[in-house]
Amino acid sequence: MTELQTTSRPRRPRPKVVSLTEAAAARVREIMGQARKDGADKPYVALRVGVKNGGCAGQEYTFAYAETIEPLDEVVEDKGVTILIDPKAVLFLIGSEIDYETTKLASKFVFRNPNQTDACGCGESVTIIPAKALDAG
């Protein structure tokens, strides 16, 4: 049997799964700062973003405080903040931009997701087709 030889070469940087607008980054900083001031039992290291099944269109975006970075989390650092992407959500979120919008009636994070194909009338749930994995060749 021939033994495989590997060469050590630097990996090219991967593009970020998601990007944040300045408004979204500012809101994440505010949320994380408030969580620290509220005296959380454990310090939060980042905000975790994911996708779950639910709602009338089939899926919903999720946000949660993360106490640790899990081995399979996708770590995104953008505009001075760190967010973690749940590994099950990566293919659903590739190429998305996260914004934070304030209107007269609501303030919320908004996803501009090229993989989103539909949304319900109230805007709380979406239909997302996972991005196709890129060919290695």
Side-chain angles (χ1 to χ4, degrees), residues 22-78:
E22 282 296 337
R27 181 62 178 141
V28 170
R29 279 191 290 276
E30 186 179 331
I31 289 169
M32 296 304 292
Q34 187 62 43
R36 286 183 191 100
K37 281 199 311 190
D38 288 344
D41 291 341
K42 295 182 182 178
Y44 297 121
V45 297
L47 200 60
R48 180 172 281 114
V49 177
V51 175
K52 70 174 185 174
N53 291 333
C56 50
Q59 295 162 307
E60 298 173 332
Y61 297 111
T62 63
F63 288 91
Y65 291 113
E67 295 175 357
T68 61
I69 298 174
E70 300 298 328
L72 297 178
D73 281 340
E74 186 76 21
V75 179
V76 175
E77 293 180 0
D78 193 17

Short mmCIF file of all heavy atoms in Angstrom, two decimals, residues 22-78:
data_model
loop_
_atom_site.label_atom_id
_atom_site.label_comp_id
_atom_site.label_asym_id
_atom_site.label_seq_id
_atom_site.Cartn_x
_atom_site.Cartn_y
_atom_site.Cartn_z
N GLU A 22 -24.19 47.66 9.50
CA GLU A 22 -23.76 48.41 10.68
C GLU A 22 -24.85 48.43 11.74
O GLU A 22 -24.57 48.31 12.93
CB GLU A 22 -23.37 49.84 10.29
CG GLU A 22 -22.01 49.96 9.64
CD GLU A 22 -20.85 49.57 10.56
OE1 GLU A 22 -20.98 49.61 11.80
OE2 GLU A 22 -19.80 49.20 10.02
N ALA A 23 -26.12 48.57 11.30
CA ALA A 23 -27.23 48.61 12.27
C ALA A 23 -27.34 47.28 13.02
O ALA A 23 -27.57 47.28 14.23
CB ALA A 23 -28.54 48.92 11.54
N ALA A 24 -27.18 46.16 12.32
CA ALA A 24 -27.27 44.85 12.97
C ALA A 24 -26.10 44.66 13.93
O ALA A 24 -26.28 44.17 15.05
CB ALA A 24 -27.31 43.73 11.93
N ALA A 25 -24.90 45.05 13.52
CA ALA A 25 -23.73 44.90 14.40
C ALA A 25 -23.90 45.76 15.66
O ALA A 25 -23.60 45.30 16.76
CB ALA A 25 -22.46 45.29 13.65
N ALA A 26 -24.42 46.97 15.50
CA ALA A 26 -24.64 47.84 16.65
C ALA A 26 -25.66 47.22 17.60
O ALA A 26 -25.49 47.26 18.83
CB ALA A 26 -25.11 49.22 16.19
N ARG A 27 -26.72 46.62 17.06
CA ARG A 27 -27.75 46.00 17.91
C ARG A 27 -27.18 44.78 18.63
O ARG A 27 -27.49 44.55 19.80
CB ARG A 27 -28.97 45.63 17.08
CG ARG A 27 -30.08 45.02 17.89
CD ARG A 27 -30.62 45.98 18.94
NE ARG A 27 -31.73 45.35 19.67
CZ ARG A 27 -31.93 45.48 20.97
NH1 ARG A 27 -31.15 46.25 21.68
NH2 ARG A 27 -32.94 44.87 21.55
N VAL A 28 -26.36 43.97 17.95
CA VAL A 28 -25.74 42.81 18.60
C VAL A 28 -24.86 43.28 19.75
O VAL A 28 -24.89 42.72 20.85
CB VAL A 28 -24.95 41.94 17.60
CG1 VAL A 28 -24.12 40.89 18.32
CG2 VAL A 28 -25.90 41.28 16.60
N ARG A 29 -24.06 44.34 19.53
CA ARG A 29 -23.22 44.89 20.61
C ARG A 29 -24.10 45.33 21.78
O ARG A 29 -23.77 45.06 22.95
CB ARG A 29 -22.39 46.06 20.09
CG ARG A 29 -21.14 45.66 19.35
CD ARG A 29 -20.22 46.84 19.09
NE ARG A 29 -20.77 47.78 18.12
CZ ARG A 29 -20.66 47.65 16.80
NH1 ARG A 29 -20.01 46.62 16.30
NH2 ARG A 29 -21.18 48.55 16.00
N GLU A 30 -25.21 45.98 21.49
CA GLU A 30 -26.12 46.44 22.53
C GLU A 30 -26.72 45.27 23.31
O GLU A 30 -26.77 45.28 24.54
CB GLU A 30 -27.23 47.26 21.88
CG GLU A 30 -28.17 47.94 22.84
CD GLU A 30 -29.24 48.75 22.11
OE1 GLU A 30 -28.98 49.24 20.99
OE2 GLU A 30 -30.33 48.88 22.68
N ILE A 31 -27.17 44.25 22.60
CA ILE A 31 -27.77 43.07 23.24
C ILE A 31 -26.75 42.36 24.13
O ILE A 31 -27.04 42.01 25.27
CB ILE A 31 -28.32 42.09 22.18
CG1 ILE A 31 -29.57 42.66 21.51
CG2 ILE A 31 -28.61 40.73 22.78
CD1 ILE A 31 -30.01 41.87 20.28
N MET A 32 -25.55 42.17 23.60
CA MET A 32 -24.52 41.47 24.37
C MET A 32 -24.10 42.30 25.59
O MET A 32 -23.88 41.77 26.66
CB MET A 32 -23.32 41.15 23.49
CG MET A 32 -23.64 40.18 22.35
SD MET A 32 -24.36 38.62 22.89
CE MET A 32 -22.97 37.89 23.73
N GLY A 33 -24.01 43.63 25.42
CA GLY A 33 -23.67 44.49 26.54
C GLY A 33 -24.74 44.46 27.62
O GLY A 33 -24.43 44.42 28.82
N GLN A 34 -26.01 44.45 27.22
CA GLN A 34 -27.10 44.39 28.18
C GLN A 34 -27.11 43.06 28.92
O GLN A 34 -27.35 43.00 30.12
CB GLN A 34 -28.45 44.61 27.48
CG GLN A 34 -29.61 44.72 28.44
CD GLN A 34 -29.49 45.91 29.39
OE1 GLN A 34 -29.12 47.00 28.97
NE2 GLN A 34 -29.78 45.68 30.66
N ALA A 35 -26.84 41.97 28.20
CA ALA A 35 -26.80 40.64 28.84
C ALA A 35 -25.71 40.61 29.91
O ALA A 35 -25.89 40.04 30.99
CB ALA A 35 -26.56 39.56 27.80
N ARG A 36 -24.57 41.25 29.64
CA ARG A 36 -23.49 41.28 30.62
C ARG A 36 -23.90 42.12 31.83
O ARG A 36 -23.62 41.77 32.97
CB ARG A 36 -22.22 41.84 29.98
CG ARG A 36 -21.57 40.85 29.04
CD ARG A 36 -20.26 41.39 28.47
NE ARG A 36 -19.82 40.51 27.40
CZ ARG A 36 -20.00 40.76 26.10
NH1 ARG A 36 -20.57 41.86 25.71
NH2 ARG A 36 -19.58 39.89 25.19
N LYS A 37 -24.57 43.25 31.59
CA LYS A 37 -25.00 44.11 32.69
C LYS A 37 -26.07 43.45 33.54
O LYS A 37 -26.15 43.68 34.73
CB LYS A 37 -25.55 45.44 32.15
CG LYS A 37 -24.46 46.40 31.76
CD LYS A 37 -24.92 47.84 31.66
CE LYS A 37 -26.17 48.06 30.87
NZ LYS A 37 -26.48 49.44 30.58
N ASP A 38 -26.89 42.61 32.93
CA ASP A 38 -27.96 41.94 33.66
C ASP A 38 -27.43 40.82 34.55
O ASP A 38 -28.20 40.15 35.22
CB ASP A 38 -29.02 41.39 32.71
CG ASP A 38 -29.86 42.49 32.09
OD1 ASP A 38 -29.85 43.63 32.62
OD2 ASP A 38 -30.53 42.23 31.08
N GLY A 39 -26.12 40.60 34.53
CA GLY A 39 -25.51 39.63 35.42
C GLY A 39 -25.84 38.18 35.09
O GLY A 39 -26.23 37.43 35.97
N ALA A 40 -25.70 37.80 33.85
CA ALA A 40 -25.95 36.42 33.46
C ALA A 40 -25.08 35.49 34.30
O ALA A 40 -23.96 35.84 34.68
CB ALA A 40 -25.64 36.23 31.98
N ASP A 41 -25.62 34.31 34.62
CA ASP A 41 -24.88 33.34 35.43
C ASP A 41 -23.55 32.98 34.79
O ASP A 41 -22.54 32.83 35.45
CB ASP A 41 -25.70 32.07 35.63
CG ASP A 41 -26.91 32.31 36.52
OD1 ASP A 41 -26.92 33.32 37.25
OD2 ASP A 41 -27.84 31.49 36.48
N LYS A 42 -23.58 32.80 33.48
CA LYS A 42 -22.37 32.48 32.74
C LYS A 42 -22.18 33.56 31.68
O LYS A 42 -23.16 34.06 31.12
CB LYS A 42 -22.50 31.12 32.04
CG LYS A 42 -22.62 29.96 32.99
CD LYS A 42 -22.71 28.66 32.22
CE LYS A 42 -22.87 27.49 33.17
NZ LYS A 42 -23.01 26.23 32.48
N PRO A 43 -20.95 33.93 31.40
CA PRO A 43 -20.76 34.96 30.37
C PRO A 43 -21.10 34.40 28.98
O PRO A 43 -20.78 33.27 28.65
CB PRO A 43 -19.28 35.29 30.49
CG PRO A 43 -18.66 34.11 31.13
CD PRO A 43 -19.72 33.47 31.99
N TYR A 44 -21.77 35.21 28.20
CA TYR A 44 -22.10 34.82 26.83
C TYR A 44 -20.94 35.22 25.92
O TYR A 44 -20.39 36.30 26.03
CB TYR A 44 -23.38 35.51 26.36
CG TYR A 44 -24.59 35.13 27.17
CD1 TYR A 44 -25.32 36.09 27.85
CD2 TYR A 44 -25.00 33.81 27.26
CE1 TYR A 44 -26.44 35.74 28.60
CE2 TYR A 44 -26.10 33.45 28.01
CZ TYR A 44 -26.82 34.43 28.67
OH TYR A 44 -27.92 34.07 29.41
N VAL A 45 -20.58 34.31 25.01
CA VAL A 45 -19.47 34.58 24.11
C VAL A 45 -19.93 35.17 22.78
O VAL A 45 -19.16 35.81 22.09
CB VAL A 45 -18.62 33.32 23.86
CG1 VAL A 45 -17.97 32.83 25.14
CG2 VAL A 45 -19.43 32.21 23.21
N ALA A 46 -21.18 34.94 22.41
CA ALA A 46 -21.67 35.42 21.12
C ALA A 46 -23.18 35.22 21.04
O ALA A 46 -23.80 34.68 21.96
CB ALA A 46 -20.99 34.66 19.98
N LEU A 47 -23.71 35.63 19.93
CA LEU A 47 -25.11 35.40 19.62
C LEU A 47 -25.16 34.29 18.57
O LEU A 47 -24.42 34.33 17.58
CB LEU A 47 -25.72 36.68 19.05
CG LEU A 47 -27.21 36.85 19.09
CD1 LEU A 47 -27.75 36.79 20.51
CD2 LEU A 47 -27.62 38.17 18.45
N ARG A 48 -25.97 33.25 18.81
CA ARG A 48 -26.08 32.12 17.88
C ARG A 48 -27.30 32.32 16.99
O ARG A 48 -28.39 32.61 17.47
CB ARG A 48 -26.18 30.80 18.63
CG ARG A 48 -26.29 29.60 17.69
CD ARG A 48 -26.20 28.26 18.41
NE ARG A 48 -24.80 27.97 18.69
CZ ARG A 48 -24.28 27.90 19.91
NH1 ARG A 48 -25.02 28.07 20.96
NH2 ARG A 48 -23.01 27.65 20.10
N VAL A 49 -27.11 32.17 15.68
CA VAL A 49 -28.17 32.32 14.69
C VAL A 49 -28.44 30.95 14.08
O VAL A 49 -27.51 30.20 13.79
CB VAL A 49 -27.75 33.32 13.58
CG1 VAL A 49 -28.81 33.42 12.51
CG2 VAL A 49 -27.46 34.68 14.19
N GLY A 50 -29.72 30.63 13.91
CA GLY A 50 -30.08 29.35 13.32
C GLY A 50 -31.39 29.44 12.56
O GLY A 50 -31.97 30.51 12.37
N VAL A 51 -31.85 28.29 12.15
CA VAL A 51 -33.13 28.14 11.44
C VAL A 51 -33.82 26.94 12.07
O VAL A 51 -33.19 25.92 12.32
CB VAL A 51 -32.91 27.90 9.93
CG1 VAL A 51 -34.21 27.62 9.21
CG2 VAL A 51 -32.20 29.09 9.29
N LYS A 52 -35.13 27.08 12.35
CA LYS A 52 -35.87 25.94 12.88
C LYS A 52 -37.16 25.77 12.09
O LYS A 52 -37.64 26.71 11.45
CB LYS A 52 -36.19 26.13 14.37
CG LYS A 52 -37.22 27.19 14.65
CD LYS A 52 -37.58 27.22 16.12
CE LYS A 52 -38.72 28.21 16.35
NZ LYS A 52 -39.21 28.19 17.71
N ASN A 53 -37.70 24.57 12.13
CA ASN A 53 -38.98 24.32 11.49
C ASN A 53 -40.08 24.96 12.32
O ASN A 53 -40.09 24.84 13.54
CB ASN A 53 -39.25 22.81 11.35
CG ASN A 53 -38.32 22.17 10.35
OD1 ASN A 53 -37.84 22.81 9.43
ND2 ASN A 53 -38.05 20.89 10.53
N GLY A 54 -41.00 25.62 11.65
CA GLY A 54 -42.11 26.24 12.36
C GLY A 54 -42.75 27.34 11.54
O GLY A 54 -42.24 27.74 10.48
N GLY A 55 -43.85 27.85 12.02
CA GLY A 55 -44.53 28.94 11.34
C GLY A 55 -45.32 28.45 10.13
O GLY A 55 -45.19 27.31 9.69
N CYS A 56 -46.13 29.35 9.58
CA CYS A 56 -47.00 28.93 8.48
C CYS A 56 -46.26 28.76 7.16
O CYS A 56 -46.73 28.06 6.28
CB CYS A 56 -48.17 29.91 8.33
SG CYS A 56 -47.69 31.64 8.26
N ALA A 57 -45.06 29.33 7.00
CA ALA A 57 -44.30 29.15 5.77
C ALA A 57 -43.29 28.01 5.89
O ALA A 57 -42.65 27.64 4.91
CB ALA A 57 -43.59 30.44 5.37
N GLY A 58 -43.12 27.46 7.10
CA GLY A 58 -42.28 26.27 7.25
C GLY A 58 -41.03 26.41 8.09
O GLY A 58 -40.59 25.46 8.71
N GLN A 59 -40.41 27.61 8.11
CA GLN A 59 -39.17 27.78 8.87
C GLN A 59 -39.13 29.16 9.50
O GLN A 59 -39.75 30.10 9.01
CB GLN A 59 -37.96 27.58 7.95
CG GLN A 59 -37.87 26.15 7.42
CD GLN A 59 -36.97 26.07 6.22
OE1 GLN A 59 -37.15 26.79 5.26
NE2 GLN A 59 -36.00 25.17 6.29
N GLU A 60 -38.34 29.27 10.56
CA GLU A 60 -38.17 30.53 11.26
C GLU A 60 -36.69 30.72 11.59
O GLU A 60 -35.99 29.77 11.89
CB GLU A 60 -38.97 30.54 12.57
CG GLU A 60 -40.45 30.40 12.39
CD GLU A 60 -41.20 30.24 13.71
OE1 GLU A 60 -40.61 29.71 14.69
OE2 GLU A 60 -42.37 30.64 13.74
N TYR A 61 -36.25 31.97 11.52
CA TYR A 61 -34.90 32.30 11.96
C TYR A 61 -34.88 32.33 13.48
O TYR A 61 -35.87 32.73 14.11
CB TYR A 61 -34.48 33.66 11.41
CG TYR A 61 -34.41 33.71 9.90
CD1 TYR A 61 -35.32 34.46 9.17
CD2 TYR A 61 -33.42 33.02 9.21
CE1 TYR A 61 -35.26 34.51 7.79
CE2 TYR A 61 -33.35 33.06 7.83
CZ TYR A 61 -34.27 33.81 7.12
OH TYR A 61 -34.20 33.86 5.75
N THR A 62 -33.78 31.91 14.09
CA THR A 62 -33.67 31.90 15.55
C THR A 62 -32.42 32.65 16.00
O THR A 62 -31.42 32.71 15.28
CB THR A 62 -33.60 30.47 16.11
OG1 THR A 62 -32.42 29.82 15.62
CG2 THR A 62 -34.83 29.65 15.71
N PHE A 63 -32.51 33.21 17.19
CA PHE A 63 -31.38 33.86 17.86
C PHE A 63 -31.34 33.33 19.28
O PHE A 63 -32.38 33.16 19.91
CB PHE A 63 -31.57 35.38 17.93
CG PHE A 63 -31.41 36.07 16.61
CD1 PHE A 63 -32.49 36.29 15.79
CD2 PHE A 63 -30.17 36.53 16.20
CE1 PHE A 63 -32.36 36.93 14.58
CE2 PHE A 63 -30.01 37.18 14.99
CZ PHE A 63 -31.12 37.39 14.18
N ALA A 64 -30.14 33.09 19.79
CA ALA A 64 -29.99 32.65 21.18
C ALA A 64 -28.61 33.09 21.68
O ALA A 64 -27.67 33.23 20.90
CB ALA A 64 -30.11 31.13 21.28
N TYR A 65 -28.52 33.32 22.98
CA TYR A 65 -27.21 33.59 23.58
C TYR A 65 -26.40 32.31 23.56
O TYR A 65 -26.92 31.23 23.83
CB TYR A 65 -27.36 34.07 25.02
CG TYR A 65 -27.98 35.43 25.15
CD1 TYR A 65 -29.23 35.59 25.74
CD2 TYR A 65 -27.31 36.57 24.72
CE1 TYR A 65 -29.80 36.84 25.87
CE2 TYR A 65 -27.88 37.83 24.84
CZ TYR A 65 -29.12 37.96 25.42
OH TYR A 65 -29.68 39.20 25.56
N ALA A 66 -25.11 32.42 23.27
CA ALA A 66 -24.23 31.26 23.29
C ALA A 66 -23.22 31.42 24.42
O ALA A 66 -22.53 32.44 24.50
CB ALA A 66 -23.51 31.13 21.95
N GLU A 67 -23.16 30.40 25.28
CA GLU A 67 -22.20 30.41 26.38
C GLU A 67 -20.85 29.85 25.95
O GLU A 67 -19.83 30.16 26.55
CB GLU A 67 -22.75 29.61 27.55
CG GLU A 67 -23.99 30.24 28.15
CD GLU A 67 -24.62 29.39 29.24
OE1 GLU A 67 -24.12 28.26 29.49
OE2 GLU A 67 -25.61 29.83 29.82
N THR A 68 -20.87 29.01 24.92
CA THR A 68 -19.63 28.41 24.41
C THR A 68 -19.71 28.34 22.89
O THR A 68 -20.79 28.34 22.30
CB THR A 68 -19.42 26.98 24.94
OG1 THR A 68 -20.52 26.16 24.52
CG2 THR A 68 -19.30 26.95 26.45
N ILE A 69 -18.55 28.24 22.28
CA ILE A 69 -18.48 28.00 20.84
C ILE A 69 -18.35 26.50 20.67
O ILE A 69 -17.40 25.88 21.16
CB ILE A 69 -17.28 28.72 20.20
CG1 ILE A 69 -17.43 30.23 20.38
CG2 ILE A 69 -17.15 28.35 18.73
CD1 ILE A 69 -16.24 31.04 19.92
N GLU A 70 -19.34 25.90 20.03
CA GLU A 70 -19.34 24.45 19.82
C GLU A 70 -18.39 24.11 18.67
O GLU A 70 -18.16 24.93 17.78
CB GLU A 70 -20.76 23.96 19.51
CG GLU A 70 -21.76 24.23 20.63
CD GLU A 70 -21.42 23.54 21.93
OE1 GLU A 70 -20.82 22.45 21.90
OE2 GLU A 70 -21.72 24.11 22.99
N PRO A 71 -17.84 22.89 18.65
CA PRO A 71 -16.85 22.52 17.63
C PRO A 71 -17.33 22.70 16.19
O PRO A 71 -16.54 23.04 15.31
CB PRO A 71 -16.56 21.05 17.93
CG PRO A 71 -16.91 20.87 19.36
CD PRO A 71 -18.03 21.82 19.64
N LEU A 72 -18.61 22.50 15.92
CA LEU A 72 -19.10 22.60 14.54
C LEU A 72 -19.75 23.94 14.21
O LEU A 72 -20.21 24.15 13.09
CB LEU A 72 -20.08 21.45 14.25
CG LEU A 72 -19.47 20.05 14.33
CD1 LEU A 72 -20.53 18.99 14.06
CD2 LEU A 72 -18.30 19.90 13.37
N ASP A 73 -19.78 24.86 15.17
CA ASP A 73 -20.34 26.19 14.90
C ASP A 73 -19.52 26.89 13.82
O ASP A 73 -18.28 26.79 13.81
CB ASP A 73 -20.32 27.07 16.15
CG ASP A 73 -21.43 26.76 17.12
OD1 ASP A 73 -22.45 26.16 16.72
OD2 ASP A 73 -21.29 27.15 18.30
N GLU A 74 -20.18 27.61 12.96
CA GLU A 74 -19.51 28.49 12.00
C GLU A 74 -19.36 29.83 12.71
O GLU A 74 -20.36 30.44 13.11
CB GLU A 74 -20.36 28.62 10.74
CG GLU A 74 -19.71 29.40 9.64
CD GLU A 74 -18.64 28.62 8.89
OE1 GLU A 74 -18.64 27.37 8.93
OE2 GLU A 74 -17.79 29.27 8.26
N VAL A 75 -18.14 30.29 12.87
CA VAL A 75 -17.88 31.54 13.58
C VAL A 75 -17.75 32.66 12.55
O VAL A 75 -16.93 32.58 11.63
CB VAL A 75 -16.58 31.45 14.42
CG1 VAL A 75 -16.31 32.77 15.13
CG2 VAL A 75 -16.69 30.30 15.42
N VAL A 76 -18.59 33.68 12.69
CA VAL A 76 -18.56 34.82 11.78
C VAL A 76 -18.21 36.06 12.60
O VAL A 76 -18.89 36.38 13.56
CB VAL A 76 -19.92 35.02 11.08
CG1 VAL A 76 -19.91 36.30 10.23
CG2 VAL A 76 -20.28 33.81 10.23
N GLU A 77 -17.11 36.70 12.22
CA GLU A 77 -16.72 37.96 12.85
C GLU A 77 -16.89 39.04 11.79
O GLU A 77 -16.31 38.97 10.71
CB GLU A 77 -15.29 37.88 13.36
CG GLU A 77 -15.16 36.89 14.50
CD GLU A 77 -13.76 36.78 15.06
OE1 GLU A 77 -12.85 37.48 14.56
OE2 GLU A 77 -13.58 35.99 15.98
N ASP A 78 -17.75 40.01 12.10
CA ASP A 78 -18.04 41.06 11.13
C ASP A 78 -18.35 42.35 11.89
O ASP A 78 -19.13 42.34 12.85
CB ASP A 78 -19.24 40.64 10.26
CG ASP A 78 -19.44 41.52 9.04
OD1 ASP A 78 -18.49 42.24 8.67
OD2 ASP A 78 -20.53 41.48 8.45
#
